[in-house]
């Protein structure tokens, strides 16, 4: 069960602070994610005091982990996907999950201090974890132009497994078909990816 007793607020506050500063690949961070999973098991209907803070910290964790712990990355994506799926029940929860989109952009495409773009961690993760990331995006829809652009950039990388590419395109087409994503933005992503594929074909 969760933390109980009169000191609950103090314990959770101390944990939230420690979790925030712990190194991303540390054993404490991994244990902390498991603890958060337990605490938000009934979110958004039962929300612990620091739920929003914990949820908001997850995209940064995905970025800082890079490829150091694919298992923990997978766990975080499963957690966020579950929360996004359940957030439809309450407008405030839906708003919180939608606000994560800007923080998730670097996970797909990072902007370096030089201003250049580079592939985010998504492109280098195992296919099963990539599928989990796509499932999260499905439940966050409608996706913002910035997140769609970052996703398109990652989908055009030659190293991306073909299965992940086809699943991503199917997901975007499904969102448009179910009117969860504006048709013009979905088509724009599909055209971007198709144009890149045509260019690669010409180069081969």
């Amino acid at each position: 069960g969760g933390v109980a007793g009169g000191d609950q607020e103090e314990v959770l506050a101390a944990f939230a602070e420690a979790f925030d500063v712990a190194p991303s690949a540390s054993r404490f961070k991994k244990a902390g994610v498991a603890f958060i999973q337990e605490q938000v098991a009934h979110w958004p209907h039962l929300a612990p005091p620091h739920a929003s803070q914990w949820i908001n910290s997850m995209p940064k964790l995905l970025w800082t982990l890079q490829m150091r712990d694919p298992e923990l990355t997978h766990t975080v994506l499963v957690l966020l996907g579950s929360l996004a799926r359940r957030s439809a029940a309450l407008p405030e929860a839906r708003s919180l999950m939608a606000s994560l989109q800007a923080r998730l952009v670097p996970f797909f495409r990072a902007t370096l201090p030089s201003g250049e773009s580079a592939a985010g961690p998504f492109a280098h993760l195992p296919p099963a974890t990539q599928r989990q990331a796509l499932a999260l995006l499905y439940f966050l829809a409608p996706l913002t132009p910035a997140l769609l652009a970052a996703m398109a950039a990652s989908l055009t990388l030659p190293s991306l497994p073909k299965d992940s590419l086809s699943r991503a395109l199917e997901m975007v087409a499904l969102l448009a078909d179910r009117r969860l994503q504006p048709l013009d933005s979905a088509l724009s992503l599909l055209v971007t990816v198709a144009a890149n594929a045509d260019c690669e074909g010409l180069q081969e």
Side-chain angles (χ1 to χ4, degrees):
V3 177
D7 294 332
Q8 179 181 25
E9 179 63 34
E10 282 183 38
V11 171
L12 290 178
F15 166 78
E17 189 174 331
F19 181 79
D20 193 46
V21 300
S24 57
S26 65
R27 291 171 64 185
F28 179 82
K29 205 77 162 186
K30 184 174 282 193
V33 169
F35 175 77
I36 289 169
Q37 275 185 303
E38 184 180 302
Q39 292 297 307
V40 298
H42 302 290
W43 183 91
H45 304 289
L46 292 173
H50 298 275
S52 296
Q53 180 183 340
W54 292 335
I55 294 167
N56 276 322
S57 73
M58 291 299 158
K60 181 184 176 184
L61 176 55
L62 289 173
W63 165 250
T64 55
L65 276 170
Q66 294 290 315
M67 286 71 69
R68 285 197 292 273
D69 191 340
E71 184 183 341
L72 182 55
T73 293
H74 192 93
T75 299
V76 171
L77 289 167
V78 169
L79 171 60
L80 288 177
S82 173
L83 295 174
R85 190 169 61 248
R86 301 197 312 253
S87 71
L90 290 173
E92 284 182 20
R94 185 86 193 126
S95 176
L96 170 63
M97 296 309 296
S99 74
L100 295 185
Q101 291 197 37
R103 297 186 185 93
L104 284 168
V105 167
F107 179 66
F108 292 91
R109 180 181 61 185
T111 301
L112 303 175
S114 63
E116 293 181 281
S117 292
F122 170 82
H124 308 290
L125 290 165
T129 305
Q130 291 177 340
R131 289 195 294 273
Q132 199 59 54
L134 295 173
L136 167 61
L137 294 190
Y138 180 87
F139 291 113
L140 289 178
L143 303 175
T144 63
L147 187 51
L148 273 177
M151 181 182 161
S154 66
L155 295 180
T156 56
L157 293 169
S159 59
L160 192 80
K162 289 288 187 282
D163 179 62
S164 295
L165 173 59
S166 61
R167 282 173 180 268
L169 298 181
E170 286 171 14
M171 184 266 289
V172 172
L174 188 61
L175 287 175
D177 191 52
R178 294 182 175 175
R179 301 187 178 184
L180 297 171
Q181 185 70 35
L183 184 60
D184 58 347
S185 64
L187 286 174
S188 176
L189 179 138
L190 296 173
V191 167
T192 299
V193 174
N196 184 77
D198 286 345
C199 289
E200 281 191 1
L202 289 172
Q203 289 169 359
E204 286 175 1

